[in-house]
Amino acid sequence: MASVAALRDYGSSDDDSGSGEDSHRNPINTTELVNQKLVVSVVAAPDVLPNEELDPLRHVDPTSKELLYNPKAEELYAPTLGPDCPFKTGQQRAHRNTVAGFVEPAHLSYALDPTVGLTQNEGNSYVGNIESAESSSGRTVFENPNRPDPSRAATKRKLEKNDDSADLEGYRGPWAPYENENRSAKPSEADKEELDAYLAKMKKRVDDPVDYQGRNFLHAPHDIGVNLRSDAPPNKCFIPKKQIHAWTGHNKGVAQIRWFPKTAHLLLSCSMDGRVKIWEVYKDRRCVRTYFGHRQAVRDISFNNTGDKFLSAAYDRYIKLWDTETGQVISRFTNKKVPYCVKFNPEEDKQHLFVAGMADKKIVCWDTRTGEAVQEYDRHLGAVNTITFVDENRRFVSTSDDKSLRVWEWDIPVDMKYIADPTMHSMPAVTLAPNLKWLGCQSMDNKIVIYSALNRFKLNRKKTFKGHMVAGYACGLDFSPEMSYVISGDADGKVFVWDWKTTRVLARWKAHQAVCSSVLWHPHETSKIASAGWDGLIKFWD
């Protein structure tokens, strides 16, 4: 009460008591100062006028039922502000525009005009889309849509009805066809031309299996400017400069590619999609045939000496013998293990025998005439990766995951030479040189090592090719026909070319988007190379 009294007795600056000339000489009233402090402490927050520049909207109480002014749309649809009740349930917090919930606006194309009377003359007045109302005869959504509609009856197809069950021949019943119904499934002329063009593009084999002289696609062409039947290699080879073609058709990565024996006018490829395809190397470079038969990825392929048959080894644990021309499976072989590599015996009198390196550390020899295994070479300590015939086909060399190289005499199941060293790595790709004197081995320590293919099988330490990255992948390698260059793929999709004499890298280029799994130099061309990769492409370079 003392503060209220002090507030009442407080005078303004216009009072006469404080306006005298000697007012500064008056003693200080301490009681009045204390009361002023009390007043300041009571009114701690003075009134502040709202700043309309910061918020020009006039806020509306959401619970108000009547407004005495015309509000703007921004004011009516402004979000509700202020503290929220913490005791409301989720259903109570939901936005509602009716007592029962939220009703969305319904958009009707037309409706009866509610402002007119219900007399006979005034009952057909509509609001909205008048043309839609007239075309549908003013029907609502609740009325029967099957009511005859003059506009729909003209376009509706009619049935050839005959409900007379006494008419045994002409009774139609519920199976009556439409009038003027076209029951022919033959396409029109324009559709037929389009379908023929599509089928011709998607055909997986040539249209004519033989030419005008009765020769099939296995016969090598004569009119390409290269003698494909020559036994002599080219005099001088050159490094390819550009890509001249790309064969597409495999859906997954290509595992191996092989030239057709002697002539190399065809290219056989196997892929992880379970398909084997044979391609033309010259002329149209078509896919001549696709061989379907394996259920899983195909690991290796091998032609016989004439090329009319080939073997395929796949992860479905089967080795299949195919007829190259017809695409038929002649026979299949299995020992319930996954075959990693397969090779025909190159001797003419032993073309019915082939060997396969298995995942169970064995090399199994099968006879295609009886379909039975006739010999087993069981000395490796790991899965067998490669088999290569040397020394006029009297011996063969095998490499394995046990990081060893073994030399076998044909039909003798004991290795005649065992090469293993603590510094050796696994060699998943081996190629015999064209002069039959050297073995090129792709080592897992990012090197290509060279072994002698003659009696001693000695490592040539002067011939080591480095620079590429193949650790973890079985990237193939090859030699140029006159032994000038060594080529190889690598894990980055590149193709490397080394000089045979100096072992220096002469060229490298990006060939594939994934691992370059195999490269082959054409045996009759000076600068043509085929490369295959895990991107599903086979590319031809020149």
Side-chain angles (χ1 to χ4, degrees):
M1 293 301 293
S3 62
V4 175
L7 183 63
R8 182 188 59 194
D9 296 337
Y10 181 74
S12 66
S13 60
D14 297 335
D15 293 345
D16 296 338
S17 59
S19 61
E21 296 179 356
D22 299 333
S23 60
H24 62 281
R25 298 181 179 180
N26 296 333
I28 298 174
N29 190 355
T30 58
T31 305
E32 185 176 350
L33 291 176
V34 172
N35 292 336
Q36 288 179 5
K37 292 181 180 179
L38 291 174
V39 171
V40 172
S41 63
V42 170
V43 188
D47 294 334
V48 178
L49 295 177
N51 191 352
E52 294 183 356
E53 295 180 357
L54 299 178
D55 189 7
L57 298 179
R58 291 179 292 180
H59 297 282
V60 181
D61 185 3
T63 60
S64 60
K65 303 296 183 182
E66 181 180 359
L67 296 178
L68 301 180
Y69 61 94
N70 189 13
K72 297 181 179 179
E74 295 83 0
E75 298 174 353
L76 283 177
Y77 292 99
T80 304
L81 304 177
D84 193 10
C85 179
F87 305 107
K88 285 185 178 181
T89 62
Q91 184 177 5
Q92 292 173 337
R93 293 174 189 273
H95 179 58
R96 297 186 296 175
N97 56 6
T98 62
V99 178
F102 183 80
V103 177
E104 295 182 353
H107 301 279
L108 299 177
S109 60
Y110 63 90
L112 286 173
D113 191 354
T115 61
V116 299
L118 298 178
T119 61
Q120 184 175 3
N121 296 332
E122 298 177 344
N124 295 329
S125 179
Y126 297 97
V127 293
N129 192 347
I130 307 301
E131 296 180 357
S132 177
E134 293 176 353
S135 62
S136 59
S137 302
R139 290 196 306 271
T140 65
V141 294
F142 303 103
E143 293 178 350
N144 185 13
N146 296 325
R147 192 173 65 182
D149 186 0
S151 61
R152 187 163 176 255
T155 59
K156 187 178 179 181
R157 293 193 298 175
K158 296 182 180 180
L159 297 174
E160 297 179 357
K161 289 186 177 181
N162 185 3
D163 297 333
D164 186 8
S165 58
D167 186 2
L168 299 181
E169 298 294 335
Y171 176 69
R172 299 285 187 176
W175 305 280
Y178 290 105
E179 293 181 356
N180 301 324
E181 182 179 357
N182 184 14
R183 293 196 171 193
S184 175
K186 183 179 179 179
S188 62
E189 293 297 330
D191 294 341
K192 187 174 184 302
E193 292 180 2
E194 184 177 355
L195 289 174
D196 291 342
Y198 177 78
L199 292 176
K201 182 180 178 182
M202 298 300 293
K203 257 186 179 176
K204 294 182 174 59
R205 52 166 294 176
V206 295
D207 296 330
D208 298 325
V210 296
D211 61 2
Y212 70 99
Q213 289 185 346
R215 300 173 300 189
N216 57 23
F217 63 87
L218 300 182
H219 188 272
H222 296 271
D223 54 346
I224 57 175
V226 179
N227 185 9
L228 298 180
R229 292 163 181 80
S230 174
D231 294 331
N235 294 327
K236 176 63 178 175
C237 290
F238 305 94
I239 300 175
K241 299 295 183 182
K242 63 181 180 179
Q243 175 187 334
I244 59 176
H245 188 70
W247 289 287
T248 59
H250 286 296
N251 298 325
K252 294 183 180 179
V254 180
Q256 284 290 348
I257 52 177
R258 294 282 186 264
W259 295 122
F260 192 83
K262 297 181 181 178
T263 59
H265 70 286
L266 297 173
L267 183 68
L268 189 70
S269 65
C270 64
S271 171
M272 299 176 191
D273 59 3
R275 306 285 186 261
V276 180
K277 292 176 180 286
I278 191 165
W279 315 83
E280 288 180 335
V281 178
Y282 298 99
K283 295 184 178 179
D284 295 335
R285 296 192 174 103
R286 300 169 294 179
C287 176
V288 183
R289 190 176 295 280
T290 302
Y291 304 90
F292 301 88
H294 286 291
R295 292 179 295 174
Q296 294 186 29
V298 184
R299 171 75 183 244
D300 195 16
I301 45 179
S302 176
F303 274 114
N304 64 353
N305 286 355
T306 58
D308 60 344
K309 298 180 180 65
F310 70 90
L311 292 164
S312 63
Y315 283 99
D316 58 3
R317 303 171 191 264
Y318 279 97
I319 301 171
K320 295 193 175 183
L321 179 64
W322 302 81
D323 188 302
T324 310
E325 180 184 355
T326 63
Q328 300 296 321
V329 177
I330 300 174
S331 55
R332 60 179 189 170
F333 315 89
T334 182
N335 66 345
K336 308 301 181 183
K337 303 296 179 183
V338 177
Y340 279 2
C341 58
V342 63
K343 271 289 174 61
F344 270 106
N345 189 319
E347 283 295 311
E348 292 295 338
D349 58 343
K350 295 185 177 65
Q351 282 285 282
H352 58 280
L353 300 174
F354 71 90
V355 287
M358 314 301 292
D360 63 345
K361 315 171 190 177
K362 296 180 181 179
I363 300 174
V364 185
C365 177
W366 269 283
D367 192 333
T368 59
R369 300 173 299 184
T370 62
E372 296 180 355
V374 296
Q375 185 63 274
E376 279 190 0
Y377 305 84
D378 187 10
R379 301 280 286 181
H380 274 294
L381 304 177
V384 181
N385 291 322
T386 65
I387 297 173
T388 309
F389 282 86
V390 295
D391 195 12
E392 297 181 354
N393 306 322
R394 293 177 298 198
R395 302 170 182 167
F396 63 90
V397 177
S398 63
T399 61
S400 168
D401 285 345
D402 60 6
K403 303 180 182 179
S404 69
L405 185 146
R406 296 174 189 260
V407 184
W408 312 79
E409 292 278 357
W410 178 255
D411 210 18
I412 299 178
V414 179
D415 48 343
M416 61 161 286
K417 192 171 186 64
Y418 170 62
I419 301 174
D421 188 84
T423 61
M424 286 179 59
H425 288 71
S426 177
M427 296 178 290
V430 177
T431 301
L432 182 65
N435 59 8
L436 308 180
K437 294 181 180 180
W438 306 101
L439 279 173
C441 305
Q442 190 80 262
S443 181
M444 278 294 186
D445 57 348
N446 300 326
K447 296 178 184 177
I448 295 177
V449 293
I450 304 297
Y451 287 88
S452 172
L454 301 177
N455 293 329
R456 297 184 60 188
F457 295 94
K458 185 180 179 180
L459 175 64
N460 190 341
R461 300 189 181 275
K462 294 182 180 180
K463 301 288 186 184
T464 301
F465 302 90
K466 305 177 183 178
H468 60 320
M469 198 277 286
V470 293
Y473 300 95
C475 298
L477 71 153
D478 199 9
F479 298 87
S480 62
E482 37 54 290
M483 289 294 296
S484 293
Y485 305 107
V486 179
I487 58 172
S488 170
D490 84 333
D492 295 329
K494 296 178 181 178
V495 174
F496 281 75
V497 181
W498 292 269
D499 183 69
W500 168 254
K501 292 183 179 180
T502 63
T503 69
R504 289 189 301 110
V505 177
L506 298 179
R508 66 169 70 90
W509 65 88
K510 183 76 171 179
H512 297 273
Q513 298 300 321
V515 179
C516 182
S517 57
S518 183
V519 289
L520 294 177
W521 199 302
H522 198 285
H524 301 288
E525 297 278 359
T526 58
S527 60
K528 285 187 169 59
I529 292 176
S531 66
W534 282 12
D535 54 0
L537 299 177
I538 304 171
K539 296 184 179 181
F540 205 30
W541 308 85
D542 191 4

